[in-house]
Structure formats: C-alpha cells, structure tokens
Amino acid sequence: MPQVLEFKLPDLGEGLTEAEIVRWLVEVGDVVAIDQPVVEVETAKAMVEVPCPYGGVVTARFGEEGTELPVGSPLLTVAVGSAEGDLPGDLSGNGADGAESSGNVLVGYGTGAPAARRRRVRPEAISAAAAPLAEPAPVPVTAPAPTPGPVPAPVPDEASGPVAVVSPLVRRLARQHDLDLRQLTGSGRDGLILRADVESAIRAAANGTAVAPSVPVPVSRPASGPAPVSAPVAGERIPLRGVRGAVADKLARSRREIPDATCWVDADATELMAARAAMNGAGGPTAGPKVSVLALLARICTAALARFPELNSTVDLEAREIVRLPAVHLGFAAQTERGLVVPVVRDAQSRNAESIGAEIGRLTEAARTGKLTPAELTGGTFTLNNYGVFGVDGSTPIINHPEAAMLGVGRIVPKPWVHRGELAVRQVVQLSLTFDHRVCDGGTAGGFLRYVADCVEQPALLLRTL
C-alpha cells in the first residue's frame, strides 16, 4: 500500500526562521518527481523555490498564498507507492521502507533537478493512498478551516496559564508589543490565536482602545478636565516583514550599535570616464560585456582596502576585538521591486575589473528576477552604494552591519572645475565614506577616501593592474 509522507518547510539557512508562501507550483492530485519544486516562498533575504525530496502524489497542501510559516511547519503530504501498481505511472517506491526520496538536505534552494511534467491523479486514488494512515490526515487548504494543519494543544506562555498559540512568530510579535496573549481570544480553529489577532490588538492599542478577550472596547475618558487628545488618524498600515522588515531591522541595529562617522569629497571623474571608454572600445564590436563605472569603482575599492585593511573588518563585541578579514567580499546595493538588497561579489580582491563587472551583472539579474540565494546575500565585508542612479549627488550611507564601512557614490555630472589652473567643465562626482569609528580614526578613513578620489581622478596607473 502507498505510504503518505509529510514534507515540512526546511531550514533555509543563514538563521532564517520563517518564510511566506508566494505561489504554489503544484496542486492536490498532481504527480511530483523527486526534487521537483513545489512551492515558491519569500524569506527576508530572497525568493526561493523549494523542492520536495519525495516522489509521489500530492494529497494535501498547507497554507494559502500569503501565509507566513515558521521553519518546520508542514508544507504538503505526498503519497509514495511501496509496490508496483500502487500509484499511477512510474511512482512505485524503491527507497527504504518504500519511501522514494532524494535524501538531499534542503538549505536555501533546490538541487537544480529539472521539474517534472505535471500530472493529475483521480480523486479515488488519492483517497486510497491516504487510507493507511493511523492518524487523521491534516486538513488541506481546500477545506474551510482558517488555519493550516492540525492545532496542537495550548503551549504555556512565559506567564502562567495555557495560551492557544502555536506560531513562534505570533509569540514574538506579542512580546515586542507587550501584549498579554491570555487576554486575547483567537479567531482560529479551537480558539487558536493567529497573527491577525495580535496585529488587530496592536492596532487597537495604537488607536486608544483596550482589547477585551473578544471585542475591542473604547477606553473610558474623564467626565471633566481638559479635552482629551484625539486619537491618531488611522492610515494605511504596511507590515514590516519580508525584505522590508529585514532592511528595517538591520539598519536599526546598525544605528544602535555602530558609532559611525561620515566624510566626503568631490572628485573629477573625467579621466575615469575616458579610461572606461577606451577600455570598452579597445576590443571592438566582438568584445565581451562592457566594463561599467560601478565595476571600476569596485576595483578601486579593493585596491584601497589593501592599503587600509582597517576598513575591511568587523567588531567582536563579546571578545572586545577588531577582526580584520583576509578576503574582500564586496557588497553592492541594488534596488529591486521587492526592495533594497545587497548581493555580494566573493573574493573581489582577486578579480580584475572585467571579472567584477561580470559578477555584478549576474547578481543584478538574479536580484531583478528574485532568484538570489541566501548565500549570495550574506557574508559581505564592505559595501559600495551607487545612489547616483537615483539622480542625487550626496548621501550619508548607513553601514551594513556587521561591516565597518560603506562607500557611497553620487551621480557623475558636468560641473565647473578648476583644471590645470583654469576654469573648465569637468565630470564631477561626490564620494561619501561612512565608517565605524571603533575600527579606525579619521586619519585612516580620510586616507582611504583620498586614495579612492585620486584613483578616480588619475586612473592610468591603477588601470594597468585591472
């Protein structure tokens, strides 16, 4: 007889604890192959297609599109055949205990196996496949139940007394807003407290109402005395989650922990633009991809970091040590429809301008299509932020924690400039360096920025090594 296996949301790596279902790639009754992507989820770092390690028939799905699930929650169940003829086609099991599985560890993204052609199985076959289960099968999303999967017994909260909460996300959200979960009545099955219940209580508190176990009631006001201050007008509320939430958390942490300072300088980029044009024109029409200004600036940064390694470091607060890092993993800010992301060019110190440019192009395309993996978005040691693409000249960058510095680059525009003792129109750019004052003093930061500016203004000597 077929065996029904439950596939849970796997550990997506890099400390991620939850993911939001963006799009289901299979339906109940579909036949799936081993390692076939079955759902697309969004984490705080990337969009990920999650492959199922089992081959068989999908008997249930858990979670509607838009639902946020913690790691370890059920995603779907698959009926796997244990003998020839138990399931249609070629899905008879041949693994241990009749369970067909890849055995791959799913961390961050799939194994790259090609997706199998979607097939459907008649409903009676699904029912027969689910029959051997000793326990009732979990409720699929097609059922009217408002929450995915069976509801476990109430879990004791930090305070005394049982609370009907299963999601650690809900508990964390309540703690962050000092809400007593025992005062809420959940709208989920069997009184389960959902995220929506906690968010509703938060909104009620912000609007000046007290939350009773079921229905919010207005807060009583004094009969005399000064007129009470009107409650704030309710506007559009956008949850801080996904990429936006991750950016907010990281920037807030940077401001809390890092004593940063910023210095800036204007530089004449005319010669850099001329050198770039010469490099791109040297190979003729059959040459490879053009070298971008960002790639040249990235290469200049790696040369500057070799001279000022203090800025390619991090601070170990517990050990009270500055850790200078041996490799430059260069992050660059990229604006996408999902928000700001910072892909990382690994080992940038060992790449020339063409290699850096090619990797920036590949990562930018992956960011645009939402295909960056968590590994491609973490581990940076220094960040380059080209905000000039937004048409602005200057900014004060916020350091990408736990890094020690970020270089910001404004737009390159024609401006009046004194060149060789005469007033001329030159291509001018403003460079801004924000640095962690714990790792170095202003002299080191100024030396780094001045070296970068000198390379921008006189790139000939540096370009020989690119």
Side-chain angles (χ1 to χ4, degrees):
M1 292 294 293
Q3 180 182 7
V4 176
L5 302 177
E6 184 180 74
F7 174 48
K8 298 179 180 180
L9 179 64
D11 176 10
L12 301 175
E14 299 295 342
L16 300 175
T17 58
E18 64 270 345
E20 179 180 334
I21 296 175
V22 176
R23 182 168 59 98
W24 281 105
L25 305 178
V26 295
E27 298 178 2
V28 174
D30 283 353
V31 176
V32 296
I34 294 175
D35 291 338
Q36 175 181 336
V38 292
V39 65
E40 188 177 63
V41 301
E42 182 179 21
T43 71
K45 298 181 181 294
M47 198 87 73
V48 178
E49 286 188 353
V50 180
C52 179
Y54 310 122
V57 179
V58 178
T59 58
R61 300 185 323 194
F62 304 97
E64 300 282 1
E65 293 179 353
T67 301
E68 195 168 53
L69 299 177
V71 169
S73 296
L75 275 177
L76 50 76
T77 54
V78 178
V80 176
S82 59
E84 191 69 31
D86 280 341
L87 291 174
D90 57 352
L91 294 177
S92 57
N94 53 13
D97 300 326
E100 188 177 7
S101 170
S102 67
N104 290 319
V105 178
L106 305 175
V107 177
Y109 48 94
T111 59
R117 178 175 58 89
R118 177 179 291 187
R119 295 165 54 194
R120 301 300 302 275
V121 178
R122 62 188 184 275
E124 55 269 25
I126 301 174
S127 301
L133 284 179
E135 298 177 348
V139 180
V141 299
T142 53
T147 57
V151 178
V155 180
D157 198 21
E158 288 79 359
S160 60
V163 180
V165 180
V166 62
S167 171
L169 299 176
V170 173
R171 289 182 176 274
R172 184 177 64 185
L173 185 63
R175 284 196 300 269
Q176 290 173 345
H177 292 272
D178 296 324
L179 287 178
D180 186 352
L181 291 172
R182 294 171 299 169
Q183 301 301 315
L184 302 182
T185 297
S187 59
R189 180 155 54 91
D190 296 334
L192 182 70
I193 297 176
L194 306 178
R195 180 174 185 148
D197 301 323
V198 175
E199 291 175 343
S200 177
I202 294 170
R203 289 193 297 269
N207 291 332
T209 59
V211 181
S214 57
V215 181
V217 295
V219 177
S220 60
R221 300 187 182 277
S224 61
V229 179
S230 300
V233 178
E236 181 184 6
R237 294 180 178 268
I238 302 172
L240 272 175
R241 63 185 185 185
V243 172
R244 186 72 264 159
V247 170
D249 292 342
K250 195 155 200 176
L251 296 183
R253 183 177 184 183
S254 177
R255 281 296 193 215
R256 286 195 308 268
E257 296 185 6
I258 299 178
D260 58 349
T262 301
C263 53
W264 58 90
V265 66
D266 290 341
D268 181 359
T270 306
E271 296 301 324
L272 181 70
M273 300 302 288
R276 173 178 176 264
M279 292 175 67
N280 289 334
T286 59
K290 303 296 184 181
V291 177
S292 66
V293 175
L294 186 63
L296 290 176
L297 290 170
R299 182 61 184 87
I300 290 173
C301 281
T302 61
L305 290 171
R307 289 162 174 77
F308 299 92
E310 298 93 331
L311 295 172
N312 193 59
S313 63
T314 188
V315 175
D316 186 339
L317 287 176
E318 293 186 2
R320 294 187 61 82
E321 294 175 341
I322 297 172
V323 182
R324 293 190 182 177
L325 304 170
V328 177
H329 300 317
L330 187 69
F332 64 95
Q335 192 70 37
T336 71
E337 293 182 357
R338 299 175 57 239
L340 179 69
V341 295
V342 184
V344 177
V345 177
R346 303 282 169 181
D347 297 310
Q349 81 285 350
S350 62
R351 297 174 180 261
N352 59 20
E354 288 83 357
S355 174
I356 292 177
E359 184 66 357
I360 287 176
R362 183 189 72 81
L363 292 170
T364 300
E365 177 61 20
R368 186 186 65 81
T369 57
K371 300 300 182 183
L372 285 171
T373 66
E376 292 171 330
L377 286 165
T378 53
T381 63
F382 184 93
T383 296
L384 177 61
N385 186 1
N386 179 21
Y387 43 74
V389 297
F390 303 119
V392 298
D393 297 328
S395 177
T396 54
I398 298 178
I399 296 173
N400 188 17
H401 184 279
E403 298 171 14
M406 176 185 292
L407 180 70
V409 182
R411 60 177 179 163
I412 301 176
V413 292
K415 288 184 179 181
W417 190 267
V418 177
H419 178 64
R420 296 178 181 175
E422 296 183 357
L423 187 63
V425 176
R426 305 286 286 181
Q427 299 291 323
V428 179
V429 61
Q430 185 180 99
L431 305 170
S432 302
L433 177 70
T434 297
F435 64 99
D436 186 339
H437 225 313
R438 296 173 299 179
V439 305
C440 68
D441 295 324
T444 299
F448 174 93
L449 186 59
R450 188 64 256 171
Y451 178 82
V452 171
D454 290 344
C455 289
V456 168
E457 293 184 339
Q458 302 174 10
L461 293 177
L462 179 65
L463 289 175
R464 292 176 184 174
T465 64
L466 301 185

